[in-house]
Amino acid sequence: MATPLTIQNPVLLTVCVVLFSVTTIATTRDPNIPIGPVFIFGDSTVDVGTNNYIKNCTAKVNHPYYGIDYPQSKATGRFSNGLNSADTIVALLGGYEQSPPPFLALLRDSSNFTGKLLDGVNFASGGAALVKGVGKDFLGDVISLEEQIQQFATVRGNITALLGESKGQLLLQGSMYIFSIGSNDIMNYIFSHPTTPEIFIANITAIYGIHLKNLYNLGARKFGLISVPSLGCCPIARLFSPGGTCAKEPNDLASAFFTPFESLLKNLSSTLEGFKYSLGNSYNMTMNIINNPSGFKDVAKACCGNNTIQGISDCKEGGFLCPHRDDHLFWDAFHPSEAASKLAAHALVFSEDPDFVTPINFGTLRST
Ligand SMILES: *[C@@H]1O[C@H](CO)[C@@H](O)[C@H](O)[C@H]1NC(C)=O
Ligand SMILES: *[C@@H]1O[C@H](CO)[C@@H](O)[C@H](O)[C@H]1NC(C)=O
Ligand SMILES: *[C@@H]1O[C@H](CO)[C@@H](O)[C@H](O)[C@H]1NC(C)=O
Ligand SMILES: *[C@@H]1O[C@H](CO)[C@@H](O)[C@H](O)[C@H]1NC(C)=O
Ligand SMILES: *[C@@H]1O[C@H](CO)[C@@H](O)[C@H](O)[C@H]1NC(C)=O
Ligand SMILES: *[C@@H]1O[C@H](CO)[C@@H](O)[C@H](O)[C@H]1NC(C)=O
Ligand SMILES: *[C@@H]1O[C@H](CO)[C@@H](O)[C@H](O)[C@H]1NC(C)=O
């Protein structure tokens, strides 16, 4: 059987034993449902190379200095100096060293395609949004969330063809589905203001609900969701803000999205049998670091790139690169450094603070 199905991270178990009684876990966990693999959906915050496989796409970072701290300094297509949140989260959940590979990479290298699906798949695509078509004008083709879920439907078919319908379904019920998306919808709104902020937030919340229901209908039960971070504090947003402070509008929208999103998830879990979730408040997590930087020396500027409106395109070989990547919150104009992703993953997987993750953390969701 595939590694992630059987191996439990000893660190995770230790933490669970300390924080909860062992019997709680033993009574809530159905022994007939295996701990399945992890499937990841979303945008550049969790893309591990999907966009490398898309022809007409400009949101590609398969060049240095991206990946400078990845093994062999390989530019894998992660929007990071090293690992990103997809990697750091699954590593802490256990059974993984890094994110499962992109769906499009598995499709390309078809040897043992179905076997590899049993180890999990990452569908995330930089530039993707909840609303299909957002960003198309300046990024070209990306895999929208709708298409990511269609790709999962294919994967589900391949898995049930291999294991049989009932075993396949149990595996998918025990799997974890991680989402990190919504930032591009908000940025797109800011460029065009097609409606009021209230209608916009209600609209993307409803659309998120449709996606989650579609995935539930394909057999998903355990949802680990990461809300939108404080976008206004990204280096690119600060450029447009007097004195380089966090920009108000993107922050207000990101913050305003959290409560309806949480309400949506409460509704889904009370109406859909077996729907379980853990919601990470990445707005609070980012603001907490910015207000109490502790290990970080710079929480405002990009480590890579010239902090100009060129954004990610000016993070490239020969351009500016900060000497100590780990002391920067931001790697490029939009994205966190590996160090910041590690810190965020730690909070998501282990924190007991409802300001950061609610109503349970990712680690507890994984093991129940
Ligand atoms: C195919 O993948 C599965 C799951 O990872 C693995 O157990 C199996 O050994 C692989 N088969 C071959 C022929 O590589
Ligand atoms: C590639 O993307 C650009 C920008 O969206 C678009 O104008 C162009 O038509 C696309 N080309 C193809 C071949 O799809
Ligand atoms: C996976 O499923 C798709 C859609 O049903 C099918 O076209 C493809 O051949 C399957 N792949 C394998 C390796 O079974
Ligand atoms: C969201 O807004 C778009 C147009 O702005 C509309 O076509 C769509 O029906 C709305 N969807 C929901 C679920 O409210
Ligand atoms: C959740 O359900 C309540 C009660 O039915 C409803 O008032 C609220 O609008 C729903 N929230 C979302 C985000 O769907
Ligand atoms: C970016 O910074 C590098 C190194 O500091 C410099 O050589 C380059 O000219 C700068 N590029 C732009 C567009 O300012
Ligand atoms: C965390 O987020 C919630 C919901 O948006 C908010 O009510 C709370 O004040 C935030 N806590 C901190 C410490 O920022």
Side-chain angles (χ1 to χ4, degrees):
M1 199 174 275
T3 330
L5 314 189
T6 49
I7 294 187
Q8 283 280 354
N9 184 334
V11 177
L12 174 60
L13 284 180
T14 316
V15 170
C16 292
V17 170
V18 173
L19 299 174
F20 303 91
S21 74
V22 184
T23 45
T24 316
I25 286 167
T27 50
T28 53
R29 175 156 170 66
D30 181 344
N32 297 316
I33 299 178
I35 298 214
V38 175
F39 298 99
I40 296 163
F41 301 82
D43 57 24
S44 56
T45 53
V46 287
D47 180 348
V48 292
T50 297
N51 284 7
N52 298 346
Y53 296 88
I54 306 174
K55 260 203 194 124
N56 193 24
C57 170
T58 58
K60 280 196 182 114
V61 291
N62 50 357
H63 60 79
Y65 298 121
Y66 286 93
I68 189 167
D69 298 312
Y70 191 85
Q72 282 93 50
S73 293
K74 193 170 172 212
T76 58
R78 285 167 173 80
F79 294 75
S80 170
N81 56 309
L83 301 174
N84 68 20
S85 296
D87 301 303
T88 55
I89 291 167
V90 300
L92 290 178
L93 287 174
Y96 291 93
E97 279 175 19
Q98 54 168 243
S99 168
F103 175 71
L104 296 181
L106 292 172
L107 212 52
R108 179 70 61 90
D109 168 24
S110 56
S111 66
N112 202 11
F113 173 73
T114 312
K116 284 177 183 153
L117 298 180
L118 298 178
D119 292 336
V121 182
N122 185 321
F123 301 94
S125 167
L130 291 160
V131 175
K132 196 174 179 174
V134 160
K136 202 169 168 46
D137 294 343
F138 46 99
L139 301 176
D141 295 332
V142 302
I143 315 286
S144 70
L145 186 56
E146 181 181 316
E147 294 163 298
Q148 293 178 33
I149 291 171
Q150 284 161 2
Q151 292 175 336
F152 174 77
T154 301
V155 165
R156 182 197 188 282
N158 295 137
I159 288 179
T160 52
L162 178 74
L163 301 180
E165 189 67 32
S166 74
K167 259 188 97 178
Q169 261 182 32
L170 282 180
L171 186 74
L172 297 176
Q173 275 179 33
S175 298
M176 186 150 159
Y177 301 82
I178 295 174
F179 282 73
S180 178
I181 194 158
S183 299
N184 293 314
D185 296 275
I186 290 181
M187 294 316 291
N188 186 62
Y189 173 82
I190 288 170
F191 287 123
S192 53
H193 295 113
T195 178
T196 66
E198 292 75 19
I199 292 176
F200 164 69
I201 295 283
N203 187 281
I204 59 169
T205 307
I207 290 169
Y208 213 143
I210 294 169
H211 290 307
L212 294 176
K213 253 188 226 165
N214 287 341
L215 199 62
Y216 173 89
N217 288 333
L218 291 167
R221 292 296 178 269
K222 295 185 189 186
F223 295 85
L225 306 128
I226 304 167
S227 75
V228 179
S230 47
L231 296 173
C233 299
C234 289
I236 193 90
R238 288 175 188 261
L239 284 178
F240 297 96
S241 185
T245 54
C246 296
K248 189 168 182 321
E249 192 188 6
N251 269 8
D252 286 350
L253 288 165
S255 170
F257 177 54
F258 186 83
T259 305
F261 187 25
E262 185 178 25
S263 155
L264 167 74
L265 295 170
K266 284 182 181 159
N267 287 3
L268 292 176
S269 65
S270 68
T271 53
L272 303 175
E273 173 76 32
F275 183 103
K276 298 190 196 78
Y277 73 93
S278 168
L279 170 60
N281 189 332
S282 99
Y283 186 93
N284 280 3
M285 286 192 274
T286 316
M287 290 315 287
N288 183 50
I289 297 174
I290 290 169
N291 296 329
N292 316 283
S294 59
F296 294 102
K297 291 208 179 80
D298 191 328
V299 294
K301 288 206 291 297
C303 167
C304 183
N306 294 32
N307 286 286
T308 64
I309 54 164
Q310 272 71 46
I312 61 173
S313 57
D314 73 359
C315 171
K316 57 182 181 218
E317 210 159 20
F320 178 76
L321 179 69
C322 73
H324 304 291
R325 270 91 66 182
D326 282 358
D327 67 22
H328 275 64
L329 172 56
F330 292 103
W331 160 246
D332 68 12
F334 298 92
H335 303 101
S337 62
E338 177 184 278
S341 296
K342 281 186 175 160
L343 209 60
H346 212 271
L348 287 168
V349 175
F350 299 125
S351 178
E352 293 296 312
D353 185 341
D355 276 337
F356 297 141
V357 61
T358 179
I360 54 174
N361 60 40
F362 279 32
T364 306
L365 178 68
R366 179 75 169 146
S367 60
T368 48

